[in-house]
Amino acid sequence: MSIIISSLITGLVIALLLYLVQKLPIDSTMKQMAQIVVVVVGVISLLSYRDVN
């Protein structure tokens, strides 16, 4: 059960970070790179919860 809650919290943090990246006053190319970094780190984090079992 705690793995599900941790995964949901991680998903919410990823969504919040993606929203905040959109609000940054930077070039669109830099925004895309920042979004890719957030998504990659988020996926790695979610996959690490799966290895806990």
Side-chain angles (χ1 to χ4, degrees):
M1 184 68 175
S2 67
I3 295 172
I4 295 171
I5 293 172
S6 298
S7 298
L8 287 174
I9 291 172
T10 303
L12 289 173
V13 169
I14 293 168
L16 177 65
L17 287 174
L18 288 173
Y19 172 76
L20 291 175
V21 165
Q22 284 295 322
K23 296 297 181 182
L24 288 174
I26 56 175
D27 187 25
S28 64
T29 306
M30 294 301 291
K31 281 185 187 180
Q32 287 179 340
M33 283 201 257
Q35 287 174 342
I36 291 170
V37 169
V38 168
V39 169
V40 168
V41 170
V43 167
I44 291 171
S45 176
L46 287 172
L47 288 175
S48 71
Y49 288 130
R50 193 172 173 148
D51 290 337
V52 172
N53 292 336

